[in-house]
Amino acid sequence: MIRLNRRTLCVVGAVTLAACDGGSGPEAALRPSYAMGADESHTIVVNPNAKGNGVAATIQEGINRVAPGGQVLVKPGTYDETLVIDKGLTLEAIGEGNGAVIIAPSATAANVVDVTTTEPVTIRDVTIQYTGANGIRGFGTVDLTVENVSVSDLNPPGAGNLIAVFDDETDPGRARVAVRHSVLDGGVNDGTPPLPQVFGLRVQGDVDAVFEGNEIRRAGGACIFVVTRGDLGGATNADILGNQLDLCHPTGRVGSILIGPIAGNLPSADRPVTATGVVNIIGNVIHNSVGSCLPGTAIDFEVGSGRIEHNEISRVVQPCAVPTPRNLQGAIWLGRRQHPLFPAVNVSVRFNDIVGNAFAGLRIGPNQTIAIDASCNYWGAADGPSGIGSGSGDAVVVEAGSASTGPGGAAPVFVPFAAAPIANTAATSCD
């Protein structure tokens, strides 16, 4: 928060000057006060071994005492706490390499870090280890940045999220979240069901998100879940850039990256899908290193528009994968199965390496009436895709329509295609 001193306020203009005569009349009570409280400071150091002026013994004490917009600087140690951040601040580890800051509540936690303010909050360089539902949760029109953070659910429950932001109201506000260069571990085993449905990164509702350069693994739900608002309206936007995803074992068998509504939230004639979000999925590496049967897709894109480009999707979908009511097996699924009231998505699929996936490299749903651009992908073979293509690489498959599923998918444009891996290049064409 910007703090203005008395002199600054008194030079704004003649009207303000008239009110800055130092008087104590009735108008004085109406003037804003910019003074810090007696127990507030712009910087609070958290040190469990010391307490005094500007030093707190617990992280929550530091949050409570710091002035809005200030810094809570945490010394190395293990902190048995859950936190509520109800003001704008930066929470950051310090210690110059002398050890980690570990937030590890001993009790099962609904939320380890609960962000409830609309003011900007940054969380940096800390480790969160917990048993429970949510590691970091933002609720409402939060403005949250998470950088260089490690979050691990050591004993996940039936459902939860490592980092999640929910703004699912129909008010005009929007939430913002950026998660960069962090490591998220859902604690799930080798993919043998039943699994706890813990999602890695999740945003829901009217949210603008950037997920960049993260490592996400062992999630019992999708590693990244971008969820439309509960009324199927609004806009959920995300840039998903340069992440490493592995061992994403969605209990619903839907996808490592899922763009769409929560399960069971279906449109009707008087409740259509009006969501318009833009999601760009660029430069990610998606693997299934243990060969689990659970991932039915690497990317499931059901609502909105965007770009799927320069991703490496290698052997994610195994021959033992099974279909779901939402989709059919394939590295990238576009559209929606078994529900014709979902509108087509408007997505380009270009410059990806799609290699060694069973069933299909790209699968077009029966409601997908838009003919997308799927050119310049490498399908794992120099002669291009199989399926509706004439090559031997991962297949391009287009689903036929029916009264219960939709009119039938439109064939994508997949020529020209790359004859060699292209995802890790700066290519803008493949001619």
Side-chain angles (χ1 to χ4, degrees), residues 325 336-342 365-368 399-409:
R336 183 75 183 219
R337 183 189 181 207
Q338 295 185 351
H339 213 290
L341 293 181
F342 276 88
N367 70 317
Q368 189 58 33
E399 297 303 316
S402 70
S404 63
T405 62

XYZ file of all heavy atoms in Angstrom, residues 325 336-342 365-368 399-409:
163
model
N -16.821 -40.952 -19.600
C -17.946 -40.209 -20.164
C -17.558 -38.872 -20.771
O -18.267 -38.339 -21.627
C -18.876 -40.018 -18.961
C -18.537 -41.149 -18.044
C -17.056 -41.339 -18.202
N -16.072 -32.596 -26.261
C -16.755 -33.302 -25.185
C -17.476 -34.517 -25.756
O -18.109 -34.452 -26.814
C -17.747 -32.371 -24.499
C -18.464 -32.979 -23.304
C -17.573 -33.084 -22.082
N -18.282 -33.744 -20.989
C -18.175 -33.378 -19.717
N -17.402 -32.374 -19.372
N -18.835 -34.030 -18.784
N -17.384 -35.614 -25.060
C -18.060 -36.836 -25.460
C -19.424 -36.918 -24.760
O -19.588 -36.493 -23.625
C -17.203 -38.041 -25.063
C -17.775 -39.369 -25.499
C -17.000 -40.521 -24.887
N -17.550 -41.806 -25.329
C -17.458 -42.926 -24.634
N -16.842 -42.936 -23.468
N -17.983 -44.043 -25.110
N -20.408 -37.477 -25.427
C -21.703 -37.823 -24.851
C -22.478 -36.612 -24.320
O -23.266 -36.755 -23.390
C -21.538 -38.849 -23.709
C -21.012 -40.195 -24.176
C -20.962 -41.227 -23.074
O -21.165 -40.920 -21.909
N -20.669 -42.460 -23.443
N -22.240 -35.439 -24.860
C -23.061 -34.305 -24.437
C -23.033 -33.224 -25.514
O -22.152 -32.367 -25.534
C -22.597 -33.738 -23.106
C -23.748 -33.192 -22.303
N -24.426 -32.055 -22.655
C -24.366 -33.661 -21.203
C -25.391 -31.833 -21.776
N -25.391 -32.795 -20.890
N -24.013 -33.210 -26.426
C -23.967 -32.306 -27.578
C -24.179 -30.841 -27.238
O -23.970 -29.990 -28.104
C -25.109 -32.830 -28.466
C -26.053 -33.495 -27.522
C -25.186 -34.117 -26.463
N -24.575 -30.502 -25.989
C -24.811 -29.099 -25.640
C -23.523 -28.343 -25.322
O -23.555 -27.130 -25.129
C -25.788 -29.000 -24.465
C -27.217 -29.463 -24.763
C -28.091 -29.301 -23.536
C -27.807 -28.704 -25.942
N -22.386 -29.033 -25.258
C -21.119 -28.323 -25.126
C -20.745 -27.725 -26.479
O -20.723 -28.438 -27.495
C -20.007 -29.263 -24.667
C -19.940 -29.467 -23.195
C -20.691 -30.466 -22.585
C -19.145 -28.661 -22.397
C -20.646 -30.658 -21.223
C -19.087 -28.845 -21.036
C -19.844 -29.844 -20.441
N -13.518 -34.593 -30.626
C -14.801 -35.019 -30.101
C -15.945 -34.805 -31.070
O -15.853 -34.009 -32.017
N -17.077 -35.494 -30.838
C -18.194 -35.425 -31.783
C -18.926 -34.088 -31.796
O -19.695 -33.826 -32.717
C -19.127 -36.554 -31.306
C -18.788 -36.724 -29.864
C -17.319 -36.448 -29.756
N -18.698 -33.247 -30.789
C -19.310 -31.906 -30.787
C -18.401 -30.862 -31.419
O -18.742 -29.684 -31.485
C -19.623 -31.471 -29.352
C -18.362 -31.170 -28.546
O -17.392 -31.918 -28.618
N -18.369 -30.095 -27.788
N -17.229 -31.286 -31.898
C -16.180 -30.367 -32.316
C -16.363 -29.987 -33.788
O -15.723 -30.539 -34.686
C -14.813 -31.011 -32.067
C -13.629 -30.105 -32.261
C -13.665 -28.872 -31.398
O -14.164 -28.899 -30.284
N -13.157 -27.774 -31.919
N -14.170 -38.287 -34.237
C -15.324 -39.065 -33.793
C -16.557 -38.728 -34.620
O -16.860 -37.556 -34.873
C -15.605 -38.808 -32.310
C -14.486 -39.238 -31.384
C -14.145 -40.714 -31.542
O -15.089 -41.532 -31.616
O -12.938 -41.032 -31.607
N -17.283 -39.766 -35.000
C -18.545 -39.593 -35.706
C -19.617 -39.116 -34.737
O -19.496 -39.266 -33.524
C -18.961 -40.902 -36.354
N -20.665 -38.518 -35.274
C -21.717 -37.958 -34.453
C -22.895 -38.891 -34.265
O -23.028 -39.927 -34.929
N -23.776 -38.495 -33.335
C -25.039 -39.178 -33.110
C -25.950 -38.206 -32.386
O -25.527 -37.124 -31.951
C -24.845 -40.449 -32.274
O -24.512 -40.109 -30.935
N -27.197 -38.578 -32.214
C -28.148 -37.694 -31.536
C -27.729 -37.420 -30.107
O -28.001 -36.344 -29.561
C -29.540 -38.314 -31.571
N -27.048 -38.355 -29.472
C -26.676 -38.203 -28.064
C -25.303 -37.591 -27.856
O -24.957 -37.204 -26.732
C -26.729 -39.562 -27.366
O -25.784 -40.452 -27.943
N -24.483 -37.494 -28.910
C -23.116 -37.008 -28.734
C -22.822 -35.711 -29.464
O -21.950 -34.954 -29.038
C -22.100 -38.058 -29.199
O -22.290 -38.312 -30.596
C -22.257 -39.360 -28.420
N -23.515 -35.436 -30.582
C -23.221 -34.248 -31.355
C -23.186 -34.567 -32.830
O -23.319 -35.728 -33.244
N -22.984 -33.553 -33.648
C -23.093 -33.735 -35.099
C -21.948 -34.503 -35.724
O -22.036 -34.922 -36.872
C -23.128 -32.292 -35.612
C -22.403 -31.506 -34.577
C -22.726 -32.159 -33.275
N -20.859 -34.686 -34.999
C -19.671 -35.316 -35.565
C -18.551 -34.303 -35.697
O -18.773 -33.142 -36.048
N -17.347 -34.726 -35.390
C -16.222 -33.818 -35.403
C -15.794 -33.422 -36.802
O -15.949 -34.177 -37.759
